[in-house]
């Protein structure tokens, strides 16, 4: 049983990938250039994935993403379109949206069920303001990462800074409504402020800064703060986040080193998977030996035997049952 803490499934659908195909068919007609597709629902099933955190990820306008949003309304429109993708997949039987620990337990007891998806918003710009949070909670969103790059709520990857006034209000509202904060992408200054406000915290997809430099990765101090909140950290399967200076070709041993570092710091029961291996970065950038999602469980073979099932899914499951 595998639980993946971070997959941008609807984002991939809206850039033209049909994840309901088998992977060979998707690759044969893939409209995305330069990033070889890795993931479809059949691949997830073959890997034993029963649940994932599926993102609502609004992409801001950048040179690489000219169609991205330039204002809050544009961000909101992207997230709503992705929400609609998940709902249509649920209507068509490809996924089941999960909103509570009770639903997760019932879902896992049903061995014939499709992939369970917990909605996670990556980058909070689609949220109008703190008063808009209940709308997204009603829609099923259970975790929010305030930042991706910088947002109007928080400093993020490549855009250092603290929480803004709106960010403080949002994180406070998240705490009060029991919506977990995803610390991945949050800049250090924003992280420290958010931790003081005290929402439930996890990191859906973050490797360790002890092994790869830069604010995209968690410092030991951040990992400890997440552990203090009974949080769990998902490991990312992107070569450049695994090995310093590597664009491609990181090894599974090098990824296991991140798992071991976290385990020494905060315990094996806080180490999990947040692969981000949805195709947004292609097979070119995944670790050696994992060219498609069905091969992801190979990573577990390099971990101590008694901790494999925890990292594979039991650690996220414990968190989901306690806090979703
Ligand atoms: Zn991300």
């Amino acid at each position: 049983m595998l639980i993946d803490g971070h997959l941008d499934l609807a984002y991939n659908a809206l850039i033209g990938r049909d994840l309901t195909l088998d992977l060979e068919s998707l690759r044969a007609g893939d409209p995305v250039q330069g990033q070889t597709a890795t993931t479809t629902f059949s691949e997830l099933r073959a890997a034993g994935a029963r649940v994932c955190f599926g993102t609502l990820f609004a992409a801001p306008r950048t040179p690489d993403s000219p169609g991205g949003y330039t204002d809050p309304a544009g961000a909101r429109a992207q997230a709503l379109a992705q929400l609609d993708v998940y709902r249509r997949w649920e209507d068509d039987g490809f996924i089941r949206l999960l909103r509570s620990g009770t639903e997760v337990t019932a879902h896992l007891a049903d061995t014939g069920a499709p992939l369970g998806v917990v909605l996670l918003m990556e980058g909070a710009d689609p949220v109008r303001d703190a008063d808009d949070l209940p709308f997204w909670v009603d829609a099923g969103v259970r975790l929010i990462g305030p930042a991706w790059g910088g947002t109007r709520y928080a400093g993020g990857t490549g855009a250092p800074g603290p929480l803004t006034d709106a960010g403080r209000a949002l994180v406070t509202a998240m705490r009060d409504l029991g919506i977990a904060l995803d610390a991945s992408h949050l800049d250090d200054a924003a992280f420290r402020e958010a931790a003081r406000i005290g929402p439930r915290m996890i990191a859906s997809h973050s490797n360790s800064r002890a092994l790869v430099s830069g604010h995209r990765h968690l410092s030991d101090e951040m990992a400890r703060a997440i552990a203090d909140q009974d949080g769990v950290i998902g490991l990312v399967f992107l070569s450049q986040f695994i090995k310093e200076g590597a664009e491609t070709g990181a090894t599974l041993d090098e990824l296991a080193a991140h798992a071991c570092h976290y385990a020494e710091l905060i315990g094996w029961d806080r180490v999990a998977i947040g692969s981000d291996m949805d195709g947004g970065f292609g097979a070119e950038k995944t670790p050696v030996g994992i060219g498609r999602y069905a091969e992801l469980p190979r990573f577990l073979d390099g971990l101590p035997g008694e901790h494999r099932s925890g990292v594979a899914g039991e650690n996220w499951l414990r968190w989901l049952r306690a806090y979703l």
Side-chain angles (χ1 to χ4, degrees):
M1 193 273 297
L2 198 140
I3 298 179
D4 194 322
H6 198 98
L7 292 171
D8 304 305
L9 297 176
Y11 172 81
N12 272 274
L14 289 178
I15 59 174
R17 285 177 162 153
D18 182 353
L19 305 189
T20 70
L21 298 174
D22 64 79
L23 186 60
E24 283 68 27
S25 304
L26 173 58
R27 284 180 174 175
D30 194 350
V32 180
Q33 304 293 312
Q35 303 286 345
T36 300
T38 55
T39 300
T40 63
F41 291 125
S42 60
E43 289 292 304
L44 287 157
R45 179 170 288 272
R50 299 294 317 280
V51 176
C52 74
F53 296 4
T55 66
L56 303 179
F57 166 61
R61 181 170 295 175
T62 65
D64 290 342
S65 175
Y69 70 83
T70 55
D71 59 20
R76 188 181 183 84
Q78 284 190 40
L80 289 172
Q82 292 180 16
L83 179 64
D84 191 53
V85 169
Y86 288 111
R87 288 176 170 167
R88 275 184 288 149
W89 277 334
E90 183 171 50
D91 289 347
D92 294 342
F94 291 107
I95 68 165
R96 181 181 290 167
L97 292 169
L98 303 175
R99 297 170 184 80
S100 69
T102 310
E103 286 185 9
V104 171
T105 298
H107 172 74
L108 290 175
D110 177 1
T111 51
L115 178 71
V117 175
V118 177
L119 292 179
L120 180 162
M121 185 181 284
E122 180 173 26
D125 273 341
V127 180
R128 276 196 190 108
D129 55 35
D131 292 339
D132 186 38
L133 187 59
F135 169 86
W136 295 100
V137 176
D138 282 351
V141 173
R142 289 294 177 271
L143 306 101
I144 297 178
W148 179 65
T151 64
R152 48 191 221 290
Y153 294 104
T157 302
L163 295 179
T164 62
D165 288 345
R168 277 184 286 276
L170 179 65
V171 173
T172 303
M174 287 167 61
R175 179 195 66 197
D176 295 347
L177 288 179
I179 297 304
L181 181 138
D182 180 0
S184 296
H185 289 285
L186 209 54
D187 186 61
D188 293 40
F191 179 98
R192 275 193 288 271
E193 268 189 281
R196 275 199 297 275
I197 293 171
R200 180 104 1 244
M201 286 174 94
I202 57 111
S204 68
H205 63 315
S206 287
N207 292 345
S208 173
R209 198 182 299 177
L211 298 167
V212 181
S213 60
H215 281 201
R216 174 62 183 85
H217 317 292
L218 294 179
S219 67
D220 289 356
E221 176 200 345
M222 293 160 113
R224 282 196 204 94
I226 290 166
D228 287 344
Q229 289 280 351
D230 201 18
V232 171
I233 299 172
L235 299 165
V236 196
F237 282 54
L238 173 62
S239 284
Q240 72 179 100
F241 291 179
I242 295 169
K243 182 182 185 182
E244 186 83 46
E247 274 294 309
T248 61
T251 67
L252 291 178
D253 285 348
E254 287 161 344
L255 180 56
H258 289 264
C260 292
H261 180 79
Y262 283 143
E264 257 175 54
L265 200 65
I266 54 176
W268 277 105
D269 58 353
R270 308 212 173 273
V271 183
I273 290 170
S275 73
D276 209 8
M277 209 180 115
D278 48 59
F281 59 82
E284 295 80 4
K285 297 182 179 176
T286 55
V288 176
I290 301 186
R292 55 194 292 164
Y293 199 96
E295 295 170 343
L296 184 143
R298 287 179 181 171
F299 163 65
L300 301 164
D301 297 341
L303 302 181
E306 66 271 36
H307 300 304
R308 283 177 199 158
S309 64
V311 174
E314 296 294 335
N315 293 337
W316 278 132
L317 178 58
R318 188 187 64 249
W319 189 90
L320 288 166
R321 283 187 169 139
Y323 302 119
L324 195 62

